[in-house]
Amino acid sequence: MGDIKITLKSARVNAGMTQAQAAQALSEYFGMTIPRQRVMKYEANPSLTPIAFGEAFAKIYKIPIEGINFLDHPITIS
């Protein structure tokens, strides 16, 4: 994916998933209930995303973890 990074929301939308579907996939990944509100929280505040969730998002969205921006601001590429 190179230097281009996309937001968690963009990764989810590109994967064709709603927040509820992402929460369900995360629930299956972790073997415990993950509410949709947690997906919303991490999309709004990506720097709060724990590493385990970052890895899970990458897996369910089928994107390398390096391709997701987990900062609270856009990345500019010069």
Side-chain angles (χ1 to χ4, degrees):
M1 184 154 263
D3 293 327
I4 298 174
K5 295 183 182 277
I6 61 174
T7 64
L8 275 172
K9 180 177 180 178
S10 294
R12 175 179 55 77
V13 170
N14 289 344
M17 300 175 87
T18 64
Q19 288 178 334
Q21 290 169 325
Q24 179 61 39
L26 289 169
S27 296
E28 292 170 12
Y29 181 89
F30 287 112
M32 58 188 266
T33 302
I34 305 296
R36 179 183 62 84
Q37 289 79 5
R38 179 143 338 154
V39 175
M40 291 173 55
K41 173 184 173 180
Y42 296 145
E43 285 184 2
N45 302 288
S47 66
L48 300 178
T49 307
I51 292 171
F53 272 85
E55 293 169 345
F57 281 123
K59 182 170 175 125
I60 68 170
Y61 297 156
K62 297 179 175 71
I63 181 173
I65 195 167
E66 299 83 11
I68 302 174
N69 177 13
F70 289 102
L71 302 175
D72 288 336
H73 55 80
I75 294 176
T76 55
I77 301 171
S78 48

